Amino acid sequence: QNCYIAFSTTVPANLAAPTALQVSAAIDLTDFIISLTASAQGNAVPTPRLRRLFETTIPGTSSASFSVEMYRDSATDTAWDLLPRDTAGVFYISRFGGTGANKLPVATNKVEVWEGRVVSRAGSAMSSNTAQTFTLPCSVPNDPADGAIVAA
């Protein structure tokens, strides 16, 4: 997998332009992640006019949802320990990886920046011959920056 996903409790002042230092200081969680759902959606507001048969629209409100499923690690348990309920910060997502070491996004690389707060931390059912996993749904307080460029 070429992706890169990291988390930091330090939220950049400008979500659309995190610095290379901020991104590199985040904890790389790529190896712990099973699946990630990061989606934004919006609605259109009708703007009808009496003289037109065609009803035009303008952008209305939008919302976003974020959830990640991760493995637990019996040796370090990095992801579990880093993300208890109510932890706030940002997830840096590079869906195709960055150009730095270990696919780290560096200056001029594109990333998604999702600010979030952990709503809950739900461990999976325990059963024989399966890896331990957990799911983190997160609230999203600000518009995600889905086309952020890492600044130098």
Side-chain angles (χ1 to χ4, degrees):
Q1 187 79 339
N2 289 327
C3 68
Y4 180 88
I5 302 166
F7 178 80
S8 175
T9 56
T10 303
V11 178
N14 182 355
L15 293 181
T19 67
L21 183 61
Q22 289 168 321
V23 175
S24 67
I27 306 296
D28 181 359
L29 297 175
T30 309
D31 289 340
F32 296 99
I33 294 180
I34 300 166
S35 67
L36 180 134
T37 302
S39 64
Q41 51 279 339
N43 66 352
V45 177
T47 55
R49 293 177 176 86
L50 289 175
R51 291 184 181 209
R52 295 188 68 183
L53 293 177
F54 180 78
E55 187 174 282
T56 58
T57 60
I58 59 172
T61 60
S62 62
S63 63
S65 61
F66 188 94
S67 181
V68 62
E69 183 180 11
M70 299 183 185
Y71 288 110
R72 292 195 66 180
D73 183 331
S74 62
T76 62
D77 226 1
T78 303
W80 177 266
D81 291 342
L82 179 66
L83 296 161
R85 178 172 162 46
D86 208 33
T87 300
V90 291
F91 285 89
Y92 295 106
I93 303 167
S94 180
R95 293 183 186 262
F96 301 102
T99 57
N102 296 323
K103 299 294 182 181
L104 173 72
V106 296
T108 73
N109 288 173
K110 189 180 287 189
V111 294
E112 295 175 32
V113 183
W114 287 76
E115 185 177 359
R117 181 177 296 270
V118 176
V119 173
S120 64
R121 185 173 63 176
S124 63
M126 293 175 63
S127 61
S128 174
N129 202 32
T130 61
Q132 291 296 304
T133 64
F134 65 101
T135 302
L136 291 173
C138 296
S139 63
V140 182
N142 290 305
D143 246 351
D146 61 1
I149 302 295
V150 178

